[in-house]
Amino acid sequence: MGAFSRLGNDLYSGRRSIDFVGRRWVWYAVSALIMALASFGLLRDGLNMGIEFTGGAEYRVTVPAEKATQETADELRSAVASTGIDSASDSQVTTSGDEAILVQTQPVNDDESAELVSTILEVTGATEADISQTEIGPSWGKEVAERSLLGLAVFLVLVTLFIWAYFREWKMSVAALVALAHDVLITIGIYALSGFEVSPATVTGVLTILGFSLYDTVVVFDKVRENTHQLKKSRLSYAEAANLAVNQTLVRSINTSIVALIPVAAILYVGVVQLGSGSLKDLALALFVGMAVGAYSSIFIATPLLVQLKSGEKDLDHDERRAAARRREAGADLYSSVRGADSSATPPPDPRQVRADGTVATKPKTAPPRQAEAVNKGRVVPKPHGPVKPSPSAGRVQPTRQPRSKRGKK
């Protein structure tokens, strides 16, 4: 931790620096590759929408702990699919903790529901008192989806207005929204690849990670504004000051992300391994992926994109040229001092002055001749510019000044 703290101090003071802004095309390429993989998974597999959005029936059967296993769930899935009911041909059967199994199907009628209940009881050996049925209509699921999209749209609008009002810079809003879209696309794509079911908890997780990503981005942008406030008085260009801001907040972003990801990872492990199903794992997966991607986008995407959007401004172009000129002047002064030190160094001795024993014959140093001094004055007499000539005014009567009381009297 001591080395990590020293690294943070060096990054904050500028003694060490990572070129995030200058290598932005590398980060863009990495993000493009990740988004391409996420989009491929999203287009190939699609989202596994839960019955809360599509409507359907859910059967929860309580079984002993030795039967609440994945083997029983797989056997029950095969038995439900073999009933010949179209709505149950692609059912979702998962364990729920150590004492229950969930069976989710598309909407079924009463006869089909009775047949499914009979099959579930036959496979699991449970009684009718151990099974509960929940039906969700498609209209309610559609309403949940519409409200989720409305909440996302309101969130994005409020984010845009907040960033514009706080920073008074619309380009910062654009960069932050691009980073948010980057986080959402990657999170949804990885969610599709995992095959997890999309539930209302998933929507809650996505909205939460948008807030986390925005928080980290605003912190970095605030440091960018602080570093570029007095840009004309510094030797840095806008890109250099922004890159310094990312380096100064890098350790903080890493620490914040690690502290947030550790408990979320624990929740994800419990939801997947221990419980096996439920909204807990859906929420944890969205939070874990979103927080990790949000920390990445605030460092590698948002600030480099902001610098690229502002690169065409005339004032910043002038500041860039001025900073480059100052760096050239500083380099010229450095080299001139080096040359001055070299020129003042002792020159090598003349070979003609080297004696046979290897010593150098030098002339004895004598003091320069002293100039004549003025008597009783302590000063050096200046050299005369020429012979002293008599003044033309010599012999003239010089006027005298008399007091006013004697003027005009003889």
Side-chain angles (χ1 to χ4, degrees), residues 191-391:
Y191 206 94
L193 289 173
S194 67
F196 280 27
E197 187 179 84
V198 178
S199 63
T202 307
V203 179
T204 304
V206 171
L207 293 178
T208 304
I209 62 105
L210 290 179
F212 182 86
S213 176
L214 175 65
Y215 167 75
D216 211 10
T217 302
V218 168
V219 170
V220 178
F221 281 0
D222 190 63
K223 195 63 180 178
V224 171
R225 184 179 65 172
E226 179 182 344
N227 289 352
T228 58
H229 180 63
Q230 299 291 339
L231 196 61
K232 295 182 179 180
K233 297 182 180 180
S234 66
R235 295 181 179 270
L236 302 177
S237 63
Y238 189 90
E240 293 170 340
N243 190 76
L244 177 61
V246 179
N247 281 272
Q248 290 174 332
T249 57
L250 178 62
V251 174
R252 177 202 167 279
S253 298
I254 294 175
N255 291 335
T256 304
S257 301
I258 292 176
V259 170
L261 287 175
I262 289 176
V264 174
I267 296 175
L268 180 61
Y269 173 79
V270 172
V272 175
V273 178
Q274 301 295 328
L275 301 180
S277 180
S279 58
L280 188 62
K281 68 181 182 63
D282 303 332
L283 174 64
L285 179 63
L287 287 177
F288 186 84
V289 176
M291 286 181 177
V293 177
Y296 170 83
S297 65
S298 63
I299 297 173
F300 296 94
I301 301 299
T303 305
L305 181 59
L306 172 63
V307 174
Q308 186 173 0
L309 291 175
K310 294 181 70 66
S311 59
E313 296 183 4
K314 294 182 179 179
D315 294 341
L316 295 185
D317 185 59
H318 177 70
D319 294 338
E320 177 72 25
R321 293 197 301 269
R322 183 179 62 251
R326 287 178 175 177
R327 288 193 297 269
R328 287 194 299 269
E329 292 176 359
D333 293 342
L334 176 63
Y335 296 144
S336 64
S337 62
V338 174
R339 288 193 298 268
D342 293 341
S343 61
S344 61
T346 304
D350 189 351
R352 294 174 296 181
Q353 298 178 353
V354 180
R355 300 189 181 95
D357 57 356
T359 59
V360 179
T362 57
K363 296 181 179 180
K365 296 182 179 180
T366 57
R370 299 181 61 181
Q371 298 181 359
E373 297 182 358
V375 179
N376 298 329
K377 294 295 183 181
R379 296 184 304 172
V380 177
V381 178
K383 296 181 179 180
H385 296 284
V388 179
K389 299 179 180 179
S391 174

